[in-house]
Amino acid sequence: MPKILLIDDDQRLADLLEAYFSRFNLELISAVTAEKGLKIFASAEVELVILDVMLPGKNGFDVCKEIRMKSNIPIIMLTARGEVTDRIVGLEIGADDYMPKPFEPRELVARIHNILRRSVLSPTEPKILSFKDLIIDRMLQSVEVDGKQLDLTTMEYQLLHLLSSHPGRTFNRDEILNDLRGIDAQLFSRSVDILVSRLRQKLGDTSKHARFIKTVWGKGYVFVSKESDINE
């Protein structure tokens, strides 16, 4: 049963979600402060973190940054502050998804299942994709560039997986949003642009030199690296 960590100062919400999640084969553990949540995160083996922005003491953005320094675990941020700028900040610092309060618990469960399901490799997919200077191990969900391991978030990995699985094909923003589905659709193209920019920065791509992901102006994004002959 997947174990989910909720860091939110609303104990009533935690109790309600714990009971609701159990109906969908999800185990929820919770903390009402950032400090307690980080201690639980350090000691418990959790598969996903749900993080409220409005926390006493450290806010959710600070907690997200701290988690990202240590782990690429999926993070879904919750907040009563629905401003688009807050959601953009969340995505920029490494959150995988963003849901404003109030929300429907069933939608939250659907997003969790979607993120967790994407970590399972289909038997028909090759285990390794190899390109010039880039190796993607789809079994381990690990990525190497120039022989160095990259730390990618779940959404960054999923985006790279989508584009690299179809070299030469241009994906527009709607197609990317539809495939990822975890990103808040209310952000539309802005959320995709942030995600692509974050991924390209980690890959070492620049606007003048795109080794892997190229912007096709007015259309979208395309993976331009060529596959090697050692894919498995």
Side-chain angles (χ1 to χ4, degrees), residues 71-134:
S71 172
N72 292 316
I73 190 171
I75 298 175
I76 298 177
M77 301 197 76
L78 304 176
T79 183
R81 298 165 61 186
E83 294 90 345
V84 168
T85 52
D86 284 343
R87 305 185 208 180
I88 290 174
V89 169
L91 291 172
E92 287 178 334
I93 63 176
D96 294 285
D97 201 358
Y98 210 111
M99 288 188 65
K101 293 179 178 177
F103 59 88
E104 288 292 333
R106 186 66 186 89
E107 181 182 358
L108 178 58
V109 167
R111 294 194 185 203
I112 291 171
H113 279 152
N114 179 63
I115 290 175
L116 296 179
R117 183 169 54 248
R118 288 176 177 271
S119 66
V120 179
L121 183 67
S122 167
T124 61
E125 292 183 287
K127 296 178 181 179
I128 295 177
L129 286 180
S130 179
F131 304 89
K132 180 176 173 55
D133 303 322
L134 172 67

Side-chain angles (χ1 to χ4, degrees), residues 128-198:
I128 295 177
L129 286 180
S130 179
F131 304 89
K132 180 176 173 55
D133 303 322
L134 172 67
I135 297 176
I136 303 171
D137 188 323
R138 300 203 283 190
M139 181 66 72
L140 300 177
Q141 292 199 1
S142 65
V143 177
E144 286 187 10
V145 173
D146 298 325
K148 297 180 180 179
Q149 193 83 14
L150 291 189
D151 291 326
L152 301 183
T153 67
T154 300
M155 282 295 176
E156 290 165 356
Y157 174 81
Q158 290 173 9
L159 173 61
L160 180 59
H161 180 274
L162 171 67
L163 297 178
S164 63
S165 296
H166 304 84
R169 174 182 168 183
T170 300
F171 285 85
N172 62 39
R173 292 172 178 84
D174 288 340
E175 290 174 319
I176 293 173
L177 276 172
N178 183 62
D179 184 86
L180 298 181
R181 285 196 297 277
I183 298 176
D184 190 339
Q186 295 182 32
L187 296 184
F188 294 108
S189 61
R190 179 62 173 141
S191 61
V192 173
D193 294 340
I194 291 170
L195 188 61
V196 172
S197 176
R198 222 168 58 194

